[in-house]
Amino acid sequence: MRPVPLALVASAALAGLGIAGCYDRNDAKPKAAPQPQAAAVLGGVDLGKPVRALGTEPFWGVEITPDALVYTRVDQPTQRAPNRGATVQGTVATFASSTNLNQALNVVLIATECSDGMSDRTYPLTARVEIGADTLTGCAAPAALLTARPAP
């Protein structure tokens, strides 16, 4: 076996020190969390605040809060799903999740005026709810607006 020249060993050691010298301790520090984005507004409705979608025949409702989507229907158990946020494309916002009863839940809000067909109330949004094999249509508005002004 041939001995390795001392100059080669020394230059390899210096190269290793040069690489180690490039390490920046700031790279290991956690980065600041991104600033929260402003909630989307659709048809004048702030989707970051509670919104209620509802329909008739059958009577159903979906409460959309910052944390959850809560689906209710007179002939079925209440189902809850995490609110993962809305995907907004133009005049359409879609909330996609899965309920505690393992059903896919998609709530689509469209920025078009809507009437529930049973009252004289006009809602700022049209709603479509897909849950399991069912597709339901109705209307939506800020929850505060619905509790402040009961239907005639």
Side-chain angles (χ1 to χ4, degrees):
M1 186 163 163
R2 232 172 119 183
V4 177
L6 186 58
L8 185 58
V9 172
S11 65
L14 288 174
L17 287 175
I19 292 171
C22 293
Y23 175 75
D24 184 358
R25 290 184 185 261
N26 288 329
D27 287 343
K29 290 183 181 177
K31 303 217 183 308
Q35 291 295 322
Q37 295 183 356
V41 175
L42 184 71
V45 176
D46 182 351
L47 299 180
K49 295 185 178 175
V51 174
R52 179 155 173 74
L54 51 93
T56 59
E57 298 185 32
F59 288 100
W60 61 270
V62 176
E63 292 287 337
I64 302 170
T65 67
D67 300 325
L69 308 172
V70 181
Y71 168 77
T72 55
R73 184 168 157 176
V74 291
D75 58 346
Q76 295 179 356
T78 296
Q79 297 186 53
R80 294 182 63 82
N83 183 347
R84 297 183 180 125
T87 300
V88 180
Q89 294 180 329
T91 59
V92 177
T94 304
F95 295 85
S97 196
S98 183
T99 72
N100 58 315
L101 297 180
N102 295 322
Q103 299 237 354
L105 174 61
N106 296 308
V107 179
V108 179
L109 302 177
I110 305 161
T112 58
E113 284 190 347
C114 180
S115 171
D116 62 15
M118 294 189 70
S119 69
D120 292 333
R121 177 178 281 165
T122 300
Y123 299 81
L125 304 173
T126 297
R128 185 178 76 236
V129 173
E130 299 165 350
I131 184 160
D134 293 335
T135 299
L136 307 163
T137 57
C139 304
L145 178 69
L146 296 177
T147 56
R149 286 187 311 151

